[in-house]
Amino acid sequence: MKRGLIAATGVAALLVSVAACGSDSGDKDSGSGDSKGKTLTVWFMDGSNPPKWTETVKSEFEQKTGAKLDVQIQKWDNIQQKLTTALSESTPPDVFEIGNTQTPSYAATGGLADLEDLKKEIGKDWTDSLNKPSVFEGTQYAAPWWAANRVVIYNKKVWADAGIKDIPKTRADLFKAFEAIQKKGDAEPLYLPGQNWYFFDGLTIGAGADLVKKDGNKYVSNLADPKVGKAMEVYKQYQAFSKAPKDKDEATPQQADVFAKGKTGAFIGMGWEADTAIKANPEIKKDIGFFTIPGETADKPEGVFLGGSNLAIAERSKNKELAEEFLKIALSDKNEGALVKEVGSIPNKESLLAQVKGHGAGEAAAPAAKGGGTTPLIAEWAAVENAPNPIKAYMTAVLNGKSPEDAAKQVEGEMNKRLSQKQ
């Protein structure tokens, strides 16, 4: 997942990709020390693989297999085109990182190797919500690596000045806290622009809503579904506590920079955005806190968008068995746990969630991961989020007074057009 505001399909915060085809079955390397002289090429995205973790995995892989590991770090600029081209050639990277919600696009074009056997061997207890994006049309085409989701990032001083003593356990409690800050009058309770689309996607997940539906053999907009409308009404309740523009997203301006000024009670963001705020204003570090976005009831957190990264093997790789050995090592409980400890991400197994202890944002994100979800896992989805995103236009229309049903009608033509584009 790209460590930026446009996650996964725009991707991270969340990661980005698209694919190619091939049919080479690959060499038969056993991965048991008889692969001396071979080199396995792995592509990671810039910022995804921490140095300590990478060195450990590299050492274990080379010791076990006798092969060399060539780790290549890719930049985000033009990565879709670069990876698409690479996967269509005879010597693609053997293993590569892709955004979780982009996996269906690559799988649909034949660029990814079938990992069903690997799933049976090491992935029986992968968390369903994290693994779901790795499956396309019933087949496992990637392995879940890590995920991240939004939390409430708040200013402890602003909350204390407003007399708020407890962390909200329900949505109603959270709104009461915002009301207390509003009444105090010294700070904006919440910074939430009208087009924070990934937060809205989380609300639709919490409402059990689908953004698309099947109409014959094609997908079409489902924004007119009352469940989607209900999620948008909840977003509208949140946004009423903010003075942020209704026609901008969280990157215009960067919401962390707004929060850094110390006059905002909270914002909904990725954990790393706190570091952005601290960079802009180091003095605010002592006042930053995190908590899980509360749901309607105390026993169930709000739905969240799970941006993240999968690891996949190229269908045209000539080292498929060696590539699987790499995945077994990289995704072992020991190394997956070490990654979580180092960066505070959400692991691919619930049994490893305890490893986020000590990471404030990670601890806040963990409770919502099990019930999280993604954008529609269909190859046609990528075009929907291209700027200008019609769902953002829908959100602004509702916030400016249109009913959710009328706002859905306003954008469904454009959304359906995009869903019909050939991949």
Side-chain angles (χ1 to χ4, degrees), residues 4 43 46 130 141 147 149 208 237 270 283 286 317 373 406 415 420:
W43 281 13
D46 188 20
L130 270 70
Y141 282 109
N149 53 265
Q237 286 180 278
M270 306 297 288
E283 290 297 314
K286 66 183 184 306
S317 168
D406 286 344
M415 192 164 165
S420 68

Side-chain angles (χ1 to χ4, degrees), residues 157-199:
K157 183 179 185 303
V158 170
W159 283 49
D161 288 347
I164 306 165
K165 293 184 169 66
D166 301 318
I167 296 297
K169 296 293 190 285
T170 66
R171 188 188 301 147
D173 291 341
L174 181 57
F175 289 168
K176 286 179 182 176
F178 291 155
E179 288 169 358
I181 296 170
Q182 198 170 50
K183 186 176 180 180
K184 177 73 175 173
D186 295 331
E188 181 178 15
L190 173 71
Y191 184 82
L192 180 66
Q195 296 183 348
N196 190 329
W197 137 244
Y198 285 109
F199 175 46

Side-chain angles (χ1 to χ4, degrees), residues 209-213 220-226 228-229 408 415-416 419:
D210 294 313
L211 296 173
V212 298
K213 62 183 178 181
V220 297
S221 170
N222 194 42
L223 291 184
D225 185 335
V228 176
M415 192 164 165
N416 291 343
L419 287 167

